[in-house]
Amino acid sequence: MAEDLSISKGTKVEQYLALIPQIEGLLTGEPDLIANLANITAALKEQFGWLWVGFYLVKNDELVLAPFQGPVACTRIKKGRGVCGAAWQQEQTLIVPDVEKFPGHIACSSLSRSEIVVPIFHQNEVVAILDVDSINLNEFDEIDKQYLEEIVGLINWN
Ligand code: SME
């Protein structure tokens, strides 16, 4: 396959709709989890230009940093800590319009102003989270929640 991503310039929904089949194409036939997580972060970062896009994997009851694109980040997060640990504990996507107003937010980058964290389930357990940070306040909404949840649903955990 061609490795170049085709960048869409439409509405946010149009951007997701153009991106998702390309992500499916990147994942098809590749069983390696880390390779697939890496390409998903690259595709999202390239399409949307967000500050930070990355995964944390649940390992021994902690979140541990996994493939990401963006500035260096904290490597381990405990359950319930920060937005990532809260999304893991609550088992639901969290949209944070202003990170300074989220009690316990972990500031990996001082440039981050808003954030969305999507828990990823395998056999009814949270096995990872997808974290996206933006330099803009109020960047993320229900559209991002819907499509990012769809994208993480494409990952093969077997
Ligand atoms: N802000 C996150 C920590 C991870 S970094 O943003 C990459 C949090 O509060 O959980």
Side-chain angles (χ1 to χ4, degrees), residues 90-145:
Q90 295 172 29
E91 301 193 341
Q92 60 179 354
T93 296
L94 294 181
I95 296 171
V96 180
D98 180 349
V99 295
E100 288 180 13
K101 296 194 173 129
F102 187 95
H105 169 256
I106 301 164
C108 287
S109 166
S110 60
L111 293 174
S112 173
R113 309 303 304 277
S114 63
E115 182 164 0
I116 184 169
V117 178
V118 180
I120 305 171
F121 297 88
H122 178 58
Q123 294 171 346
N124 290 322
E125 296 278 318
V126 177
V127 289
I129 61 95
L130 170 67
D131 180 19
V132 184
D133 289 69
S134 170
I135 60 169
N136 303 315
L137 286 170
N138 254 313
E139 176 81 18
F140 306 104
D141 57 20
E142 291 297 317
I143 294 172
D144 300 288
K145 175 179 186 298

Side-chain angles (χ1 to χ4, degrees), residues 46-105:
E46 202 175 341
Q47 174 63 53
F48 293 103
W50 293 316
L51 172 68
W52 198 92
V53 182
F55 291 95
Y56 283 85
L57 298 178
V58 174
K59 291 186 180 176
N60 300 323
D61 226 32
E62 272 184 323
L63 292 172
V64 181
L65 186 63
F68 71 96
Q69 298 264 318
V72 294
C74 48
T75 53
R76 288 171 191 270
I77 299 174
K78 295 205 183 301
K79 201 170 199 173
R81 296 281 316 280
V83 187
C84 294
W88 175 21
Q89 187 168 54
Q90 295 172 29
E91 301 193 341
Q92 60 179 354
T93 296
L94 294 181
I95 296 171
V96 180
D98 180 349
V99 295
E100 288 180 13
K101 296 194 173 129
F102 187 95
H105 169 256

Side-chain angles (χ1 to χ4, degrees), residues 1-6 21-27 39 46:
M1 59 164 282
E3 307 295 348
D4 285 346
L5 200 70
S6 165
Q22 297 188 76
I23 290 178
E24 284 179 295
L26 288 165
L27 303 186
N39 257 343
E46 202 175 341

